[in-house]
Amino acid sequence: MAFHKILIGYDGSDSSKKALKKAIELAKLTGGELHIVGVVRPFEFAAIDYISPEEIEEYEKEEISKEERFLKEARDIALENGVDAITKVMEGEPAEELMAYADEQGCDLIVVGHRGVGGFKRMILGTTAGNLVKYANQSVLVVK
């Protein structure tokens, strides 16, 4: 099976770097188009905390900026390996955003690391990877 559009969920973690390497290999092998997407989670805080709207906005700007740097790094790695890539930063829950992007762009494979940078390292199989395996319309490759 040849994959024509390969989506990699990238967050700069070691696990996502391994997944990026595998996605680049697959894109080279199949001649597929590579899409590298980073998702910034919404701001979360306990109900008892008071965070001003300005602090929330500043946090979100910093997270988006950090994700843009991660994606530039990932695209540079892809280019060094002879694969061009489309990058995009999204905001929301990672699994939902990756699935929506894959559906909208017609991606036929989603590649993710087994664990990202989420809280408590998301136990054995990351929440994002687990949800993608359960609910995505595309094939999902989880890289250890």
Side-chain angles (χ1 to χ4, degrees):
M1 168 186 256
F3 296 109
H4 303 287
K5 289 189 177 184
I6 301 168
L7 168 60
I8 165 81
Y10 192 81
D11 63 11
S13 66
D14 288 341
S15 186
S16 72
K17 289 176 182 178
K18 290 176 185 174
L20 175 64
K21 181 179 177 184
K22 185 61 68 179
I24 291 168
E25 289 173 14
L26 287 169
K28 287 175 77 170
L29 184 66
T30 65
E33 186 175 275
L34 186 62
H35 295 250
I36 307 171
V37 174
V39 182
V40 174
R41 291 180 183 274
F43 185 79
E44 298 173 6
F45 59 94
I48 59 172
D49 292 342
Y50 174 73
I51 306 295
S52 72
E54 293 81 17
E55 289 172 308
I56 293 171
E57 185 177 330
E58 183 60 31
Y59 167 83
E60 289 173 347
K61 283 181 185 177
E62 287 176 18
E63 289 299 304
I64 290 169
S65 177
K66 183 168 58 173
E67 194 62 45
E68 287 171 344
R69 285 192 309 274
F70 289 152
L71 295 185
K72 181 185 180 321
E73 169 190 86
R75 184 166 188 265
D76 289 347
I77 292 168
L79 286 170
E80 289 169 8
N81 286 278
V83 176
D84 197 4
I86 297 164
T87 61
K88 181 167 180 140
V89 175
M90 302 180 79
E91 295 181 64
E93 290 302 318
E96 292 174 18
E97 296 301 322
L98 291 172
M99 287 185 288
Y101 183 91
D103 289 342
E104 290 167 12
Q105 297 298 316
C107 296
D108 44 16
L109 178 66
I110 302 173
V111 181
V112 290
H114 76 290
R115 202 181 326 193
V117 292
F120 300 114
K121 294 294 185 184
R122 301 294 185 198
M123 310 230 182
I124 297 170
L125 180 65
T127 301
T128 299
N131 285 336
L132 288 169
V133 168
K134 288 181 203 171
Y135 303 115
N137 295 321
Q138 298 75 16
S139 295
V140 177
L141 174 61
V142 180
V143 179
K144 288 272 295 173

